[in-house]
Structure formats: structure tokens, C-alpha cells
Amino acid sequence: MKEPLVPVVPMSHTAHIRSHRKPRRSATSSIAVRAGVAGGVLSMAAAGASASASAAEPVTQTIELPTLTADLSAQVAQSAAATQQAAANYELRAERDAAAAKAAAEAKKDLVEAKKKAEAKKKAAEAARKAAAERAARNAERATLTASASTSASASTSVSAPSSGSVATVIAFLKAQVGDAYVMGATGPNAWDCSSLVQAAYKQVGVDLPRVSQDQSMAGTDVSLSNLQVGDILYWGGKGSAYHVGVYIGDGQYLDAANPSKGVVIQDLSGYPADGAVRVL
């Protein structure tokens, strides 16, 4: 029977030297290495399983917006405040502009009104001055007529048949009152009614007539309207019940204290024919 062959392993030429020999690994180190390798394999297997499970489910992760920092929040607040302030300033400026426009319009209106009032005041002052001048002229003429009438009355002992100069005195007095006002019941010197004016005119020459138109229509001598003379008294209405009187001044005209709207005026007899006439001069 043959003996088994033993394989011969060649040795390194340095194997006999102790320092060149490779140290042997201890069993503990080998076991640790093996355990580490096994753990790594298991970890990789677990990770792979987890990855497979995760890949099978849909991703539901929510992405959150980054939170504003304190500085950014302050800047936003500051910007909002600036915008609000600008809006307030704009509104205030608009209100001031509107107020200024309104004030300008009111000032213009007040100026127009002031000019109108000044013009009206100027016209009123001019009218008053003119009226005062006319009144002064009439008063001067009245004084002259009164003095003349007094002289005539003292020189004559009777008024039943006065001279023609007396008629002129009456007419002059009446014309001096043209423009005076008509006021019911007034007896002069700047306002009259119809009968008080006739009474005052004839009083200038000493003829004393009744106060009212009804009685004046009964004075003197009746004359026809076709035979009128300057100085005759005209009346409207019935004799003894006349409601208006005036004095004929010639050329188809008469003078009377007509009414509140006209005052003392000269009018055409054709426009308002009288009902009768009496003669006292």
C-alpha cells in the first residue's frame, strides 16, 4: 500500500527570519470582522426593503413657506404705514383744494354782490340828491307864490272875482307839486291826495274850498266840458258824490294827484274824460 503524498509548500526565503513572518489574526478580530460584515449586509438589506416600501407609497410631504424674519416684517409694516400716510396726505390736499375753490367762488360771488349793492346805493344817493334839489326848488317857488298870494289877498277885499293873475298863481303852485307822492289823507307839503291838492292850490289865492272831493264838486258855478277855462275844477262821478277831482290847465290837459303809482302828474283829458266841472275863479 502506498503512502499518501504530502504536498510540499515552498517556503519563502525569508521565512526562517522571525521578523518577516506575517502575524496571525486573532480569533476575536476575525469574529468582529465577520460580525461587521454581516451587520452591514443586514443594514443594506433593511435599507433596500425600506426604499422599496417607500417607493410603493405616494409622496405626501408638505412644503412649508419660509417664515418671515423680524426685519422683513418690520419693512412690510413700515411700507404699509407709508402708503397709508401718503393716502391721508392726498385726501387732505384734495380737501384743501376743494375748500380753496369754494372760498374763491364765494369771494367772487360776494364781490359781485358788493358791486351791485354799491351801484344801487350810488343810484339811490343820486336819486335822493335829485329829489332834494327838486324839492328845494318847489319849496322856493311855494314861498314865492305864498308871498304873492298874501300880497294879492291884502290888496283885495273880495275873492268872488279875482284877477287873471290869480289863475296863474294856482297853476304855478300845482305844477310845482308835480312828482310829489299820492297818499290818501295827506295834505302836503310833499304828499297829497286829490282834494287836498286842489284845496291847497286855491288857498294860494285866498279861495277856501271844502276838504273832500264830494263837496268841491258842489262849489262855484257849473260849466260844460266844452267850455272849459284854465283853472276850472274837474270832477269824476256824480255832482255831490264825486270820487276824484283835478284842475284844468289848458290844451286838453289837467293836473291831479292821480293815485299811489303815479303821484302828482299832468294827464290828457281825452284819456280819462271828466264827468263835470265847476269854476271858482
Side-chain angles (χ1 to χ4, degrees):
M1 178 176 172
K2 292 182 179 181
E3 292 181 0
L5 297 177
V6 177
V8 178
V9 177
M11 294 180 63
S12 171
H13 65 281
T14 59
H16 65 280
I17 300 174
R18 184 176 295 272
S19 61
H20 285 269
R21 293 180 182 177
K22 293 183 179 180
R24 293 183 179 180
R25 294 179 180 177
S26 66
T28 302
S29 298
S30 177
I31 293 171
V33 169
R34 292 174 183 174
V37 170
V41 171
L42 290 175
S43 296
M44 292 177 64
S50 176
S52 299
S54 298
E57 295 180 359
V59 177
T60 57
Q61 183 177 3
T62 301
I63 300 176
E64 296 182 357
L65 294 175
T67 304
L68 295 177
T69 64
D71 291 341
L72 183 58
S73 298
Q75 291 177 2
V76 171
Q78 185 177 3
S79 177
T83 301
Q84 185 176 4
Q85 183 63 39
N89 293 338
Y90 178 80
E91 183 177 358
L92 179 60
R93 185 165 59 251
E95 291 177 355
R96 289 177 177 175
D97 292 344
K102 183 178 180 181
E106 291 179 353
K108 184 177 180 180
K109 182 179 179 181
D110 291 342
L111 180 60
V112 172
E113 291 295 331
K115 287 182 178 180
K116 289 182 179 180
K117 289 181 180 179
E119 187 66 22
K121 186 176 181 180
K122 182 179 179 181
K123 290 181 179 179
E126 182 64 21
R129 185 193 64 76
K130 185 177 180 180
E134 292 177 351
R135 187 161 51 250
R138 288 198 300 270
N139 289 338
E141 188 172 358
R142 288 171 188 169
T144 301
L145 292 172
T146 300
S148 176
S150 298
T151 302
S152 298
S154 61
S156 175
T157 58
S158 175
V159 296
S160 58
S163 65
S164 59
S166 297
V167 174
T169 300
V170 170
I171 301 304
F173 176 84
L174 290 170
K175 288 184 177 180
Q177 315 314 312
V178 172
D180 283 357
Y182 175 98
V183 178
M184 177 66 72
T187 57
N190 298 314
W192 313 86
D193 62 18
C194 62
S195 57
S196 69
L197 179 61
V198 173
Q199 183 187 49
Y202 283 92
K203 191 174 184 179
Q204 303 302 312
V205 293
V207 176
D208 191 10
L209 291 176
R211 170 65 180 83
V212 297
S213 59
Q214 294 88 344
D215 295 336
Q216 289 177 2
S217 66
M218 299 290 292
T221 304
D222 291 338
V223 294
S224 65
L225 296 176
S226 61
N227 192 32
L228 291 175
Q229 293 182 6
V230 175
D232 288 344
I233 298 174
L234 303 172
Y235 63 84
W236 285 259
K239 187 175 179 64
S241 60
Y243 59 84
H244 188 67
V245 290
V247 177
Y248 185 69
I249 60 173
D251 297 325
Q253 294 181 318
Y254 66 97
L255 189 151
D256 67 336
N259 53 51
S261 63
K262 291 183 178 180
V264 178
V265 292
I266 295 174
Q267 305 189 79
D268 290 330
L269 190 58
S270 60
Y272 189 34
D275 296 310
V278 293
R279 185 172 296 158
V280 296
L281 290 179

XYZ file of all heavy atoms in Angstrom, residues 223-228 234-235 269 273-277:
100
model
N -119.885 174.461 -15.195
C -119.524 174.798 -16.567
C -119.523 173.503 -17.384
O -119.281 172.414 -16.859
C -118.137 175.472 -16.650
C -118.171 176.835 -15.967
C -117.057 174.589 -16.050
N -119.794 173.647 -18.682
C -119.793 172.464 -19.542
C -118.353 172.089 -19.902
O -117.457 172.944 -19.922
C -120.587 172.747 -20.814
O -119.944 173.751 -21.577
N -118.170 170.824 -20.212
C -116.825 170.346 -20.556
C -116.351 170.897 -21.896
O -115.156 170.866 -22.190
C -116.811 168.807 -20.587
C -117.099 168.117 -19.244
C -117.143 166.609 -19.414
C -116.058 168.507 -18.200
N -117.266 171.411 -22.681
C -116.897 172.008 -23.976
C -116.527 173.477 -23.832
O -116.072 174.097 -24.794
C -118.048 171.860 -24.968
O -119.208 172.542 -24.482
N -116.697 174.030 -22.643
C -116.429 175.441 -22.423
C -115.464 175.634 -21.248
O -115.585 176.572 -20.478
C -117.748 176.184 -22.172
C -117.579 177.700 -22.231
O -116.741 178.220 -22.978
N -118.375 178.424 -21.452
N -114.506 174.758 -21.148
C -113.578 174.807 -20.025
C -112.594 175.958 -20.165
O -112.192 176.324 -21.274
C -112.802 173.488 -19.927
C -113.588 172.245 -19.513
C -112.704 170.999 -19.591
C -114.155 172.403 -18.112
N -112.216 170.048 -12.264
C -112.862 168.898 -12.895
C -113.192 167.861 -11.830
O -112.428 167.690 -10.865
C -111.932 168.271 -13.939
C -111.429 169.208 -15.056
C -110.360 168.491 -15.888
C -112.584 169.659 -15.937
N -114.288 167.167 -12.007
C -114.611 166.074 -11.068
C -115.094 164.854 -11.832
O -115.620 164.972 -12.933
C -115.638 166.530 -10.017
C -116.983 166.935 -10.559
C -117.985 165.977 -10.826
C -117.299 168.277 -10.802
C -119.232 166.346 -11.318
C -118.527 168.653 -11.298
C -119.490 167.692 -11.539
O -120.730 168.060 -12.034
N -106.858 164.932 -20.914
C -108.261 164.753 -20.555
C -108.943 163.731 -21.458
O -109.880 163.054 -21.046
C -108.994 166.105 -20.637
C -110.410 166.168 -20.066
C -110.413 165.764 -18.597
C -110.978 167.582 -20.225
N -111.767 161.172 -19.519
C -112.709 162.313 -19.547
C -113.422 162.507 -18.216
O -113.813 161.546 -17.555
C -113.703 161.917 -20.640
C -112.977 160.909 -21.485
C -112.103 160.165 -20.519
N -113.544 163.777 -17.821
C -114.229 164.093 -16.572
C -115.725 164.008 -16.743
O -116.258 164.019 -17.870
C -113.818 165.490 -16.114
N -116.446 163.941 -15.634
C -117.916 163.905 -15.664
C -118.549 165.276 -15.518
O -119.722 165.469 -15.867
C -118.441 162.985 -14.563
C -118.028 161.527 -14.779
O -118.236 161.019 -15.898
O -117.502 160.893 -13.830
N -117.789 166.235 -14.997
C -118.322 167.579 -14.816
C -117.239 168.545 -14.425
O -116.086 168.142 -14.175
N -117.579 169.851 -14.332
C -116.608 170.873 -13.973
C -117.327 172.035 -13.282
O -118.505 172.310 -13.535
C -115.852 171.374 -15.200
